[in-house]
Amino acid sequence: MAGDSERLSLDMEDSGSGARSASGAAAEEDTTYASLLHGNRATEAAESGLRTSPSWGVTLNAITYMFAGMSMPATMAMSGFTAGTLMLAYSCVSTYYSGELIGLLCKRFPEADSYPKLFGLSVKKGMLHTASSKQATWYGEAAVFACVVLQFLAYYFDTIAQLLYVAQYFDQLVPSSQVNICQWLWLIITFFLALPLLLVPGFSESRWIAVPTFAGLVVMVGVFVAEIAATA
């Protein structure tokens, strides 16, 4: 009887420890999942060896890149205040949640640490339902290459559009009667002004450039609002 009691006690202890281990693992999984959205950025950066930027730095960079303060009034005038506001709100919300989704996927699949790799992995996993493993791998690699090409073209044409936009702004800002500079020369000047920014490796370092740029955007929007109030 004593031996049976001891075995029963040991079994209960094993069961208890197993339950605690399972609950601990579940808690660890929950914590890990929660860290996908609210993790310790410094710890994650140290473990991954990647450069990271604080949230305010990423936010400022996104605002300075996405916010078109000089063209916003004309856009609102053409689309109308109601439609323009709805589209702006939709763009903000969809951009935020798509960023959250991409972040979760990169956390779930650490090997997919770029847009091309993430796209290639998605295509590969999708093709596994209808193709062999070898074929799925080939399609995934082709998707990576296609995404790299699309990224290059997008950044290339976007850079050209930004250079032309700023060059035209300078051309209108400085009257030709004061400085006789052709638009193509403004384009060259704009290129050399922006050239040092190409040396900035990432968001972590460019946040200090985004601070004065954001301050300029605030002043510019304030001037626009003041002009509207003065002419109303």
Side-chain angles (χ1 to χ4, degrees):
M1 293 294 291
D4 292 340
S5 300
E6 290 178 1
R7 284 193 296 271
L8 179 60
S9 178
L10 290 173
D11 291 339
M12 292 178 65
E13 289 180 3
D14 291 340
S15 300
S17 61
R20 286 192 296 271
S21 300
S23 62
E28 185 178 353
E29 289 179 1
D30 292 341
T31 303
T32 303
Y33 179 78
S35 69
L36 295 179
L37 290 177
H38 309 291
N40 189 325
R41 297 177 63 88
T43 303
E44 293 172 359
E47 292 177 352
S48 64
L50 299 176
R51 295 192 314 271
T52 59
S53 177
S55 298
W56 66 267
V58 176
T59 302
L60 285 186
N61 271 288
I63 291 175
T64 54
Y65 181 76
M66 298 294 293
F67 182 75
M70 290 182 284
S71 62
M72 190 66 71
T75 303
M76 284 292 187
M78 293 297 295
S79 61
F81 181 79
T82 302
T85 302
L86 290 176
M87 290 303 297
L88 182 62
Y90 169 77
S91 177
C92 292
V93 173
S94 61
T95 300
Y96 173 81
Y97 281 106
S98 62
E100 290 280 1
L101 176 60
I102 292 172
L104 287 173
L105 290 174
C106 289
K107 288 283 190 177
R108 176 66 178 80
F109 305 101
E111 68 276 11
D113 55 358
S114 66
Y115 282 116
K117 291 180 181 179
L118 186 61
F119 181 55
L121 182 64
S122 301
V123 171
K124 179 181 178 180
K125 287 184 174 294
M127 292 301 298
L128 284 174
H129 298 287
T130 57
S132 64
S133 177
K134 184 178 180 180
Q135 290 175 327
T137 301
W138 185 88
Y139 281 114
E141 293 174 353
V144 171
F145 177 77
C147 189
V148 169
V149 172
L150 289 176
Q151 270 194 317
F152 176 81
L153 292 176
Y155 286 130
Y156 176 75
F157 288 118
D158 179 69
T159 301
I160 292 178
Q162 294 287 347
L163 288 174
L164 289 172
Y165 178 73
V166 176
Q168 290 177 350
Y169 187 75
F170 281 153
D171 189 48
Q172 296 176 4
L173 187 64
V174 180
S176 58
S177 59
Q178 297 181 4
V179 180
N180 189 15
I181 299 179
C182 299
Q183 186 171 340
W184 67 268
L185 186 55
W186 276 122
L187 185 62
I188 295 176
I189 294 174
T190 304
F191 170 76
F192 281 105
L193 289 175
L195 191 60
L197 301 179
L198 300 178
L199 302 177
V200 180
F203 279 158
S204 180
E205 295 81 8
S206 64
R207 67 184 187 274
W208 304 114
I209 302 174
V211 170
T213 306
F214 179 77
L217 287 175
V218 172
V219 172
M220 182 173 57
V221 173
V223 172
F224 285 154
V225 174
E227 287 179 347
I228 294 173
T231 56

